[in-house]
Amino acid sequence: MSRPTVHDIAKEAGVSLATVDRVLNARPGVREKTITKVQEAVARLGYVRDTYAANLARQRQYRFVFVLPDGPGQFAQSLRSALHEAYASQIADRTVIRTVRVPIGDPHAIVRTLQGVHADGLDGIALMVPETPQVRDAIARLKDAGVAVVTLVSDLPNSRRDFFVGINNSAAGRAAGSLMGRFVGGRGEILVVTNSLRSRDSVERRFGFDEVMARDFPSVSVLPSVEAHDDPLRMARIVTEVIARRKALVGVYSMGSGNLTLLEALRGNRRSGRLVVIAHELTAATRQALIDDEIDAVIAQNVGHLIRSAIRVLRSLCDDLPIYEAQERLRIEVVLKENLP
Amino acid sequence: MSRPTVHDIAKEAGVSLATVDRVLNARPGVREKTITKVQEAVARLGYVRDTYAANLARQRQYRFVFVLPDGPGQFAQSLRSALHEAYASQIADRTVIRTVRVPIGDPHAIVRTLQGVHADGLDGIALMVPETPQVRDAIARLKDAGVAVVTLVSDLPNSRRDFFVGINNSAAGRAAGSLMGRFVGGRGEILVVTNSLRSRDSVERRFGFDEVMARDFPSVSVLPSVEAHDDPLRMARIVTEVIARRKALVGVYSMGSGNLTLLEALRGNRRSGRLVVIAHELTAATRQALIDDEIDAVIAQNVGHLIRSAIRVLRSLCDDLPIYEAQERLRIEVVLKENLP
DNA sequence: TTGTAAGCGTTATCAG
DNA sequence: CTGATAACGCTTACAA
């Protein structure tokens, strides 16, 4: 009635526990014939390994570091809290995680941090930082030291990172574009705002957005990106100006952080009620804006999944286990007022 | 460096392992003074129980049954395969799960099945079945026998089930309505098709859909639901007829199973290319239809989550543990061609 | 190439 | 009331 154990299959195959273990974990030093004997017993009894017990016996300790952007951005904040949540739950069993916050705008500080964590021995690192040559070098040094490296949210494809955990940002941009095109009815001008085009995710989103607009909505014209560079006043000034000047404006696409600022700027404008607004990331601000009909749709990624996925991937990397790609592929969520979680 | 164990806290408190265990698990038979001594040691060392080891020693076995619709429906099929996947993974540790397939159209067979599984002692049951008085009675009998009961996908709120795992179907209908209203541009007629209005999920979706249409898109009129009752020919005939007759038709909302049949019927119609089509559940059929631009949007729920959630909830129910509602709340996914997972 | 025996951190069953 | 001690299912030296 109860599930078969290694003992059962040892008995069934007529071998010892150790041999069963060797076969199950594909360790060397077992005769071909014995291997098949064990595998047959496994198949016959329908044995499934008890991960709990295995991890217990293995006594493995994983030491990970998460490097996340410092600063007031709500998305980064939600990432940090998701990390805390994961840490308190089972997913982080046998795992110690240290969070390091870096000023996203200061490449030097980032590199210094990366070299700092390099000092003490650690097994893996997950990072969400902008792409610079110095960062790529720092990653290379971590890899040389045998540390598993995953990028988070925004990829660094030209670095030696092992894996990227995050959504396909071009696809996210395309989804935003598709909704925008349909919502505005296929014509007019779209304002695109972002905090900075230095981070790869923004660039990719813009690319995907433009692709869909050009192909499926040729009568819509997308204006050049406006970068806020963490300067609320600058953002407010430009948005106000564009709304006043471009009479054909029908929508605003906010590609990255700085939604709070954008919303603030929009509120001051009477015409803004008729604009279709699409933004990224579900935060307290965008959630409220959806409810208040100030934003029409949000393209989001589940930060809980993001963090758990990063932890799982780092572990697999450490153990040289295959990564279950299907499970780690993050979904691009489309959130309307009606399906707010 | 590594996490403190019961041994460490026994030493720290100057008591034995058994006493520590008694305190940790709030078992009786320990002097008040000893309790505080242990608790102080726990606090001092920052002890956290290792769930893996605890479960191992506890030797708990959960015996669950999943009652799922039989038949060719692709959604039910994907549910069954998600169950298989979960069974092979960690989530189902210390759990034996039996799947029972019932003909969804035969209330008698369903009740017979429910009584059948009742016979052997089991800890929990998850079911996706239509609502009938007999089913409600069968659930009551299961509850009397001390079995944990959760409903899946379609709720039975008037039964004695312990918990519902699935999306809020009215909200899903509202999301569909919101997209439909915007995609068709706010005017015209909408055809609504479903397999049967006997299942509660369909009714709730229709309700939500109508609510949004009436409130936000008053110029759109929604036609009465057409029920296919698993009869492809009937579906084809009605759809063809409606398309031919109603010149103002701009969209089709498919509320439940039978997407394959609907798509088949639509393909035969020249006008159908201009119709906005919104359907439920991501299956091979709807996925391909999204790619081929035959469907504009799919409202879905993640079947993997659904199954895992049901297992977690059943376990908590068995152990009289609180259910972490936030985690078990399933998201309503909006899937466009662009964000297909 | 295979087997034996000692753990991993927790719980459970006995005696004291 | 409290304390040894043996499990649980799996891994891993070390021995044969």
Side-chain angles (χ1 to χ4, degrees):
Chain A
M1 188 73 265
S2 124
R3 265 168 37 170
T5 75
V6 273
H7 291 90
D8 298 323
I9 97 137
K11 208 174 297 168
E12 176 83 8
V15 298
S16 79
L17 246 40
T19 302
V20 171
D21 184 69
R22 288 186 190 105
V23 175
L24 288 177
N25 295 294
R27 273 187 268 271
V30 187
R31 264 211 326 249
E32 197 57 51
K33 228 175 95 183
T34 321
I35 294 184
T36 46
K37 218 163 49 175
V38 171
Q39 284 171 338
E40 273 165 19
V42 166
R44 206 151 350 126
L45 301 187
Y47 168 82
V48 186
R49 167 207 262 94
D50 182 330
T51 342
Y52 289 174
N55 281 330
L56 176 58
R58 219 190 286 269
Q59 264 282 87
R60 184 85 163 82
Q61 264 274 27
Y62 304 87
R63 290 155 308 170
F64 297 153
V65 170
F66 275 67
V67 179
L68 299 177
D70 201 354
Q74 290 198 309
F75 178 63
Q77 236 168 66
S78 68
L79 263 185
R80 293 194 293 261
S81 80
L83 192 53
H84 263 98
E85 221 168 272
Y87 195 48
S89 84
Q90 298 171 357
I91 183 88
D93 251 8
R94 325 216 143 269
T95 310
V96 278
I97 297 178
R98 201 153 57 84
T99 313
V100 178
R101 298 161 62 152
V102 294
I104 203 87
D106 182 350
H108 272 291
I110 295 173
V111 172
R112 266 202 310 279
T113 308
L114 258 37
Q115 286 168 340
V117 297
H118 175 21
D120 39 80
L122 88 168
D123 302 303
I125 189 166
L127 17 100
M128 174 178 173
V129 293
E131 193 168 26
T132 66
Q134 295 87 340
V135 167
R136 278 199 292 268
D137 291 349
I139 290 178
R141 275 191 292 276
L142 285 165
K143 284 312 302 168
D144 285 336
V147 175
V149 179
V150 309
T151 47
L152 224 52
V153 181
S154 189
D155 195 12
L156 310 176
N158 300 316
S159 72
R160 283 176 52 201
R161 59 104 178 111
D162 297 291
F163 202 82
F164 165 59
V165 176
I167 56 173
N168 177 336
N169 282 301
S170 334
R174 286 198 296 273
S178 174
L179 285 174
M180 182 63 86
R182 293 166 189 255
F183 282 6
V184 301
R187 55 187 63 253
E189 291 180 340
I190 309 293
L191 170 64
V192 179
V193 300
T194 183
N195 192 46
S196 153
L197 275 174
R198 245 184 328 183
S199 62
R200 189 166 196 102
D201 50 348
S202 282
V203 177
E204 290 176 346
R205 285 170 190 176
R206 170 81 211 216
F207 185 80
F209 190 80
D210 288 355
E211 188 189 334
V212 165
M213 290 319 243
R215 192 191 56 209
D216 297 342
F217 307 98
S219 305
V220 175
S221 65
V222 186
L223 306 176
S225 306
V226 168
E227 296 181 63
H229 293 303
D230 279 320
D231 182 347
L233 274 78
R234 188 184 143 84
M235 166 87 88
R237 189 169 48 73
I238 299 183
V239 169
T240 309
E241 201 180 292
V242 172
I243 292 181
R245 199 166 304 180
R246 324 245 15 161
K247 296 302 176 195
L249 194 75
V250 289
V252 180
Y253 174 38
S254 171
M255 288 197 312
S257 53
N259 288 319
L260 214 68
T261 317
L262 170 69
L263 288 166
E264 198 63 48
L266 285 178
R267 274 190 207 109
N269 271 281
R270 218 161 306 117
R271 261 191 68 209
S272 66
R274 307 228 181 90
L275 296 177
V276 171
V277 180
I278 295 184
H280 277 269
E281 309 313 351
L282 198 59
T283 62
T286 53
R287 159 183 290 277
Q288 191 55 49
L290 275 172
I291 293 172
D292 297 342
D293 293 318
E294 292 178 345
I295 287 185
D296 296 85
V298 165
I299 310 293
Q301 49 195 322
N302 188 317
V303 290
H305 284 185
L306 200 81
I307 295 294
R308 289 192 288 272
S309 193
I311 296 175
R312 274 196 303 265
V313 168
L314 281 176
R315 276 208 220 193
S316 302
L317 250 21
C318 289
D319 294 345
D320 258 315
L321 253 43
I323 294 165
Y324 184 16
E325 304 238 6
Q327 188 181 3
E328 312 310 351
R329 190 149 31 228
L330 280 167
R331 302 218 170 175
I332 298 167
E333 300 183 352
V334 172
V335 186
L336 311 172
K337 179 187 193 168
E338 284 77 16
N339 69 331
L340 260 176
Chain B
M1 190 70 270
S2 121
R3 266 169 33 173
T5 75
V6 272
H7 291 90
D8 298 324
I9 98 136
K11 209 173 295 170
E12 176 84 9
V15 296
S16 79
L17 243 41
T19 303
V20 172
D21 183 65
R22 289 187 188 102
V23 175
L24 288 177
N25 293 295
R27 272 187 269 272
V30 186
R31 264 207 330 247
E32 197 58 52
K33 230 175 92 181
T34 321
I35 293 183
T36 46
K37 217 164 51 174
V38 171
Q39 284 172 337
E40 274 165 17
V42 166
R44 204 149 355 121
L45 301 187
Y47 169 82
V48 186
R49 168 206 260 95
D50 183 329
T51 344
Y52 290 174
N55 281 330
L56 176 59
R58 219 191 288 270
Q59 265 286 86
R60 184 84 163 83
Q61 264 273 30
Y62 304 87
R63 289 154 309 170
F64 298 154
V65 169
F66 275 67
V67 179
L68 300 177
D70 201 354
Q74 292 198 309
F75 179 62
Q77 237 168 66
S78 68
L79 264 186
R80 292 194 294 260
S81 79
L83 192 53
H84 264 97
E85 221 169 274
Y87 194 50
S89 84
Q90 301 171 358
I91 184 84
D93 253 5
R94 328 217 137 268
T95 310
V96 278
I97 297 177
R98 201 153 57 86
T99 313
V100 178
R101 298 160 62 151
V102 293
I104 204 84
D106 183 349
H108 271 293
I110 295 174
V111 171
R112 267 202 310 280
T113 308
L114 258 37
Q115 286 168 340
V117 298
H118 175 20
D120 38 82
L122 88 169
D123 303 302
I125 190 166
L127 19 98
M128 173 177 172
V129 292
E131 195 168 26
T132 66
Q134 295 87 338
V135 167
R136 279 199 292 268
D137 290 349
I139 290 179
R141 274 192 293 276
L142 285 166
K143 285 309 303 168
D144 285 337
V147 176
V149 179
V150 309
T151 46
L152 223 53
V153 180
S154 189
D155 196 13
L156 309 175
N158 300 317
S159 72
R160 282 176 53 202
R161 59 106 178 110
D162 297 292
F163 202 83
F164 165 59
V165 176
I167 56 174
N168 176 336
N169 282 299
S170 336
R174 286 199 294 275
S178 175
L179 284 174
M180 181 64 87
R182 293 168 189 255
F183 282 6
V184 302
R187 57 186 62 253
E189 290 179 342
I190 310 293
L191 169 65
V192 179
V193 299
T194 183
N195 193 46
S196 153
L197 275 174
R198 246 184 328 183
S199 62
R200 191 169 195 100
D201 49 349
S202 282
V203 177
E204 289 176 348
R205 286 170 189 176
R206 169 84 212 215
F207 186 81
F209 189 81
D210 288 353
E211 188 189 333
V212 165
M213 290 320 247
R215 192 190 57 208
D216 297 343
F217 307 98
S219 304
V220 174
S221 64
V222 186
L223 307 175
S225 305
V226 168
E227 296 181 65
H229 292 304
D230 279 321
D231 181 348
L233 275 77
R234 188 183 143 84
M235 166 85 89
R237 189 169 47 73
I238 300 183
V239 169
T240 308
E241 200 179 294
V242 172
I243 292 182
R245 200 167 303 183
R246 324 245 16 162
K247 298 299 178 199
L249 193 75
V250 289
V252 180
Y253 174 38
S254 171
M255 288 198 313
S257 53
N259 288 319
L260 215 66
T261 317
L262 170 69
L263 288 167
E264 197 63 48
L266 284 178
R267 275 192 205 109
N269 270 282
R270 219 160 305 116
R271 260 191 69 208
S272 66
R274 306 228 183 91
L275 296 177
V276 171
V277 180
I278 295 184
H280 276 269
E281 309 315 352
L282 199 59
T283 62
T286 53
R287 159 183 290 276
Q288 191 54 49
L290 275 171
I291 293 174
D292 297 341
D293 292 318
E294 292 178 346
I295 288 186
D296 296 86
V298 165
I299 310 294
Q301 48 194 323
N302 188 318
V303 290
H305 284 184
L306 199 81
I307 296 293
R308 289 192 288 270
S309 193
I311 296 175
R312 274 195 302 265
V313 168
L314 281 176
R315 277 208 222 191
S316 301
L317 250 20
C318 289
D319 294 344
D320 258 315
L321 255 41
I323 293 165
Y324 183 15
E325 304 237 6
Q327 189 182 2
E328 313 309 351
R329 190 148 33 228
L330 280 166
R331 301 219 170 173
I332 299 166
E333 300 183 353
V334 172
V335 186
L336 311 173
K337 178 188 193 168
E338 286 76 16
N339 69 331
L340 260 176

